[in-house]
Amino acid sequence: MATIGDVARVAGVSRSTASYALSGKRAISEDVRRRVKDAVRELGYTPNAGARALATSQTMVIGLLAQFLEDEFAPAMLQYMLGVSNTARELGYDILLSTEADGRNALRRMTDSRMVDGIVLLNVAEDDDRLPILRDAPQPGALVGLPADCSGVEVFDLDFEEAGRTMVEHLHRLGHRELVLVSQPEHVVERGGAYVWRLQNAALAEARARGITLHAVFGPAQQPEVGRALHGLLDAHPDATGLLINNEAAAAALPTVLHERRLTAPADLSVVGRYSDEFARTFSLPYSSIESAPDRLGRMAVRELVRRIEGQVGPDEPHVVRFVSPELVDRGSTGAPRGD
Amino acid sequence: MATIGDVARVAGVSRSTASYALSGKRAISEDVRRRVKDAVRELGYTPNAGARALATSQTMVIGLLAQFLEDEFAPAMLQYMLGVSNTARELGYDILLSTEADGRNALRRMTDSRMVDGIVLLNVAEDDDRLPILRDAPQPGALVGLPADCSGVEVFDLDFEEAGRTMVEHLHRLGHRELVLVSQPEHVVERGGAYVWRLQNAALAEARARGITLHAVFGPAQQPEVGRALHGLLDAHPDATGLLINNEAAAAALPTVLHERRLTAPADLSVVGRYSDEFARTFSLPYSSIESAPDRLGRMAVRELVRRIEGQVGPDEPHVVRFVSPELVDRGSTGAPRGD
DNA sequence: CTGAAAGCGCTTACAG
DNA sequence: CTGAAAGCGCTTACAG
């Protein structure tokens, strides 16, 4: 493989001149620049990434820690990954991916050995055990998901409180007075998925403020349990006219359940979910939903991370905690309650 | 950050001795080994990956080129990625991930700049335009998917011919005489998804050999088109008693379609799909299916790739082309044809 | 505008 | 069993 030394020799200049001609970091005569470029083409030269990283202490690589936790919906994670990966590439960075169950190990390896310039953490828990390691690392970090302690890292998340309020408000305005909310399984919450609480508590508060009833339950995340759970719920609350779904598996199972019960949305039941548009398309879900914007969150996290990496924002400047406002995507699954 | 020089100083030895004490590549006195280990612990030393890569020309990184093509089912790709990523980690390698639409660019960048020791290509097309680049690269490559020309790379794929035969044979034995096969969209085939042809042609040949009827069609990959297409198919072939599905989107849409038609499998219609068990669980699919074994294929590809990388198989030894035999996972969706 | 040299942090023959 | 030195392939002050 050709080195910068080969390029220099062929171009008849010194290695430093060859390097500068390629980086443009100092003035180079037109003649020399041309000879260097020609040599590069002739030799098919590409800089050795490891050598460059060693010299510059920049790897142009971002570490991406994805976690595929049991009972969480793997396909949903993919959208975040793609948002991160594609944005990184646009900004000139490659992605070092870890899918290890033990994220702490992967994180330590990547940061300690200087394989990456920065880190993106996905699926962040309330009390995420990767955070202390990330804070101690010399590289900056960005999270998708809101932990209890946001110090030292950039944080991006959907505004789940607002999402909960929006769902309740939307159905209340349509005339609904009794609603059911199906959240993720309780052990997702216990593991640190505080977003489940955030949405649910805000929804409950909003319902209370509006004087309407909201039955909030945790649903399973697996088939066929989640289908049975949905049947049980609809049996238990025959007067409920609106269904709120903050549980991807439940959303995916709902069409079958409604068919089995001979129910149609919105004629018999109004339905609002919380998932991404991409998810809705993949699963052919016909329900209006709060867009969870995974690609947008991934993009934002990488953009801010790169600003940190490249020093466009100083190390003393405060870290960002940014919430994406939920948007309701209308797919026509809500309307006036039946009997109205 | 501590360097090997710091370790050496603290341990009171030379840098080379410190290095050897850690690698174990030459005999070291117990005393020195202990002092070096202590120094490592005290300083929290981790080798700089870039420096090591430069010195050894080994990065311990594998490049993973995933392609998310339009109209292909993104969640299915995730299973392959996880198989690759997890196996790589078990063998001591990290994953450099590319999700770029232009895989050729990503491939060239990774190989030319020596960021990786080897490459895994996912979603390989009949005439994949990344292959010439991979063959020219100094790093070995492994594919999941069968191209027309397998030279110079390790190839792993499901035996789609056998899968097609198995599906037909299974239903024929149960007494079915008229079947419908729904494949991926035709433009997936045109783009190079030869596996679609392989399964379909083998199924047609098997049906012919057994003297039964098989209607083979290409289905859409998107909602709601695929649902409508399924309805159209069942309308068009009212006497068909068995449905073969080689199209993930169609499989995901089928439960709804059958409910809408008040059909039950296998009482009214026997159904056999071709997808992974993980996929079936995620989408709550109750149909028997040919297991496409994405995790297993990913594992095999990485294992063989690492054997090449580490020189356990010589550069002159022939490359591997290995097919995974399809296994039929019985989920009870097939039986005797209705009216029998 | 260009070159010679130092240095990034490792590993590994070479010498003893 | 250990050390001094060279080298991996870059970049970037330092000098001219």
Side-chain angles (χ1 to χ4, degrees):
Chain A
M1 208 65 184
T3 71
I4 189 93
D6 298 325
V7 171
R9 192 164 26 71
V10 169
V13 297
S14 72
R15 297 194 307 155
S16 57
T17 297
S19 177
Y20 282 119
L22 292 174
S23 70
K25 286 192 182 168
R26 77 178 182 192
I28 296 283
S29 71
E30 193 42 44
D31 174 47
V32 165
R33 176 191 307 284
R34 152 137 260 88
R35 270 155 43 211
V36 169
K37 299 261 175 186
D38 286 348
V40 165
R41 196 155 342 106
E42 178 186 336
L43 296 168
Y45 168 75
T46 307
N48 179 301
R52 175 175 276 177
L54 187 55
T56 63
S57 5
Q58 280 223 113
T59 62
M60 300 307 285
V61 174
I62 288 173
L64 173 59
L65 296 211
Q67 292 196 123
F68 292 85
L69 300 170
E70 209 189 334
D71 283 1
E72 269 183 345
F73 215 70
M77 178 75 67
L78 185 57
Q79 299 307 317
Y80 292 96
M81 292 172 57
L82 290 178
V84 169
S85 169
N86 293 332
T87 308
R89 187 80 290 277
E90 285 163 24
L91 298 177
Y93 288 78
D94 276 296
I95 290 292
L96 199 69
L97 171 71
S98 158
T99 56
E100 245 171 298
D102 184 0
R104 309 170 70 222
N105 235 293
L107 180 54
R108 224 172 334 231
R109 187 177 61 253
M110 287 182 183
T111 55
D112 283 357
S113 67
R114 307 308 243 264
M115 303 180 86
V116 299
D117 294 336
I119 290 281
V120 174
L121 251 46
L122 255 35
N123 217 345
V124 173
E126 172 85 351
D127 182 29
D128 202 297
D129 62 1
R130 301 169 297 181
L131 275 176
I133 299 173
L134 184 54
R135 288 203 188 87
D136 278 351
Q139 296 96 337
L143 321 185
V144 178
L146 176 69
D149 176 2
C150 291
S151 65
V153 291
E154 320 296 318
V155 176
F156 300 87
D157 204 0
L158 184 70
D159 188 337
F160 281 92
E161 278 92 356
E162 184 65 26
R165 286 190 292 268
T166 302
M167 292 167 111
V168 170
E169 179 196 3
H170 177 73
L171 290 184
H172 178 237
R173 286 207 176 156
L174 288 169
H176 295 261
R177 297 297 175 261
E178 182 172 350
L179 309 174
V180 173
L181 165 63
V182 183
S183 296
Q184 304 265 62
E186 191 154 20
H187 61 263
V188 168
V189 184
E190 280 158 11
R191 195 172 50 211
Y195 62 95
V196 180
W197 273 128
R198 283 156 57 206
L199 188 148
Q200 178 168 316
N201 287 342
L204 284 167
E206 185 72 18
R208 218 175 302 120
R210 291 174 179 267
I212 65 178
T213 305
L214 175 66
H215 309 285
V217 298
F218 300 102
Q222 289 181 318
Q223 306 291 354
E225 292 84 349
V226 63
R228 284 202 291 270
L230 286 168
H231 276 297
L233 259 177
L234 295 173
D235 288 340
H237 303 292
D239 295 333
T241 57
L243 184 58
L244 312 181
I245 304 265
N246 183 28
N247 176 325
E248 280 99 343
L254 190 58
T256 301
V257 169
L258 292 188
H259 273 285
E260 284 169 354
R261 302 178 77 87
R262 309 275 189 265
L263 297 181
T264 311
D268 307 306
L269 190 69
S270 284
V271 178
V272 184
R274 197 277 311 157
Y275 41 74
S276 74
D277 187 56
E278 176 68 30
F279 185 85
R281 230 175 308 141
T282 299
F283 284 76
S284 169
L285 295 180
Y287 314 119
S288 300
S289 67
I290 299 285
E291 166 65 42
S292 61
D295 49 345
R296 196 164 150 225
L297 284 164
R299 293 198 89 73
M300 291 169 74
V302 171
R303 283 230 184 83
E304 190 63 28
L305 184 65
V306 168
R307 277 165 44 89
R308 283 272 165 189
I309 289 173
E310 300 186 345
Q312 289 161 31
V313 37
D316 302 332
E317 286 185 56
H319 294 276
V320 158
V321 179
R322 198 164 297 157
F323 294 102
V324 169
S325 287
E327 262 181 63
L328 187 69
V329 179
D330 189 355
R331 296 193 186 83
S333 65
T334 63
R338 62 174 180 266
D340 253 32
Chain B
M1 208 66 184
T3 72
I4 189 92
D6 298 325
V7 171
R9 193 163 24 72
V10 169
V13 297
S14 72
R15 298 194 308 156
S16 57
T17 297
S19 178
Y20 282 119
L22 292 174
S23 70
K25 287 193 182 170
R26 77 178 184 193
I28 295 284
S29 71
E30 194 42 44
D31 174 46
V32 165
R33 177 191 306 283
R34 152 136 262 90
R35 269 154 45 211
V36 170
K37 299 260 176 186
D38 286 348
V40 165
R41 196 155 341 108
E42 177 185 337
L43 297 168
Y45 168 75
T46 307
N48 178 301
R52 175 174 277 177
L54 187 55
T56 62
S57 5
Q58 279 223 114
T59 63
M60 300 307 285
V61 174
I62 288 173
L64 174 59
L65 296 212
Q67 291 195 124
F68 292 85
L69 301 171
E70 210 189 332
D71 284 2
E72 270 183 345
F73 215 71
M77 177 75 69
L78 186 58
Q79 298 307 319
Y80 292 96
M81 293 172 57
L82 290 177
V84 169
S85 168
N86 293 333
T87 308
R89 186 81 288 278
E90 284 163 25
L91 299 177
Y93 288 78
D94 276 296
I95 289 292
L96 199 68
L97 172 71
S98 159
T99 57
E100 246 171 298
D102 183 1
R104 310 171 69 222
N105 235 294
L107 180 54
R108 223 171 335 230
R109 186 177 63 253
M110 286 182 184
T111 55
D112 284 358
S113 66
R114 307 307 243 264
M115 302 180 86
V116 300
D117 295 336
I119 290 281
V120 174
L121 252 46
L122 257 34
N123 216 345
V124 173
E126 173 85 350
D127 181 30
D128 202 296
D129 62 1
R130 300 169 297 182
L131 275 176
I133 300 174
L134 183 54
R135 288 203 188 87
D136 279 350
Q139 298 95 338
L143 322 185
V144 177
L146 177 68
D149 176 2
C150 291
S151 65
V153 291
E154 318 298 318
V155 176
F156 300 87
D157 203 0
L158 184 69
D159 188 336
F160 281 93
E161 277 91 357
E162 184 65 27
R165 285 189 292 269
T166 302
M167 292 167 111
V168 170
E169 179 195 2
H170 179 72
L171 291 184
H172 178 238
R173 286 206 176 158
L174 288 169
H176 296 262
R177 296 299 176 258
E178 182 173 350
L179 310 174
V180 173
L181 166 63
V182 183
S183 296
Q184 305 264 61
E186 192 154 20
H187 61 264
V188 168
V189 184
E190 280 158 11
R191 195 172 51 210
Y195 62 96
V196 179
W197 274 128
R198 284 157 56 206
L199 188 147
Q200 179 168 315
N201 287 343
L204 283 168
E206 185 71 18
R208 217 175 303 123
R210 291 172 180 268
I212 65 177
T213 305
L214 175 66
H215 309 285
V217 298
F218 300 104
Q222 289 181 319
Q223 304 291 352
E225 291 84 349
V226 63
R228 283 202 291 271
L230 286 168
H231 276 296
L233 257 177
L234 295 173
D235 288 340
H237 303 292
D239 295 335
T241 57
L243 184 58
L244 312 180
I245 303 265
N246 184 26
N247 175 325
E248 280 100 342
L254 190 58
T256 301
V257 169
L258 293 188
H259 273 284
E260 283 168 356
R261 301 179 77 88
R262 310 273 188 266
L263 297 180
T264 311
D268 307 306
L269 190 69
S270 284
V271 178
V272 184
R274 197 277 311 154
Y275 41 73
S276 74
D277 186 56
E278 177 67 30
F279 185 84
R281 231 175 307 139
T282 299
F283 284 76
S284 169
L285 295 179
Y287 313 119
S288 300
S289 67
I290 300 284
E291 166 65 41
S292 61
D295 50 344
R296 198 165 147 222
L297 284 164
R299 293 198 89 73
M300 291 169 75
V302 171
R303 283 231 185 82
E304 190 63 28
L305 184 66
V306 167
R307 276 164 45 91
R308 283 271 166 191
I309 289 172
E310 301 187 344
Q312 290 161 30
V313 36
D316 302 330
E317 285 185 57
H319 295 276
V320 158
V321 179
R322 199 163 297 157
F323 294 103
V324 169
S325 288
E327 262 181 64
L328 187 69
V329 180
D330 189 355
R331 296 193 186 83
S333 65
T334 63
R338 62 173 179 267
D340 253 31

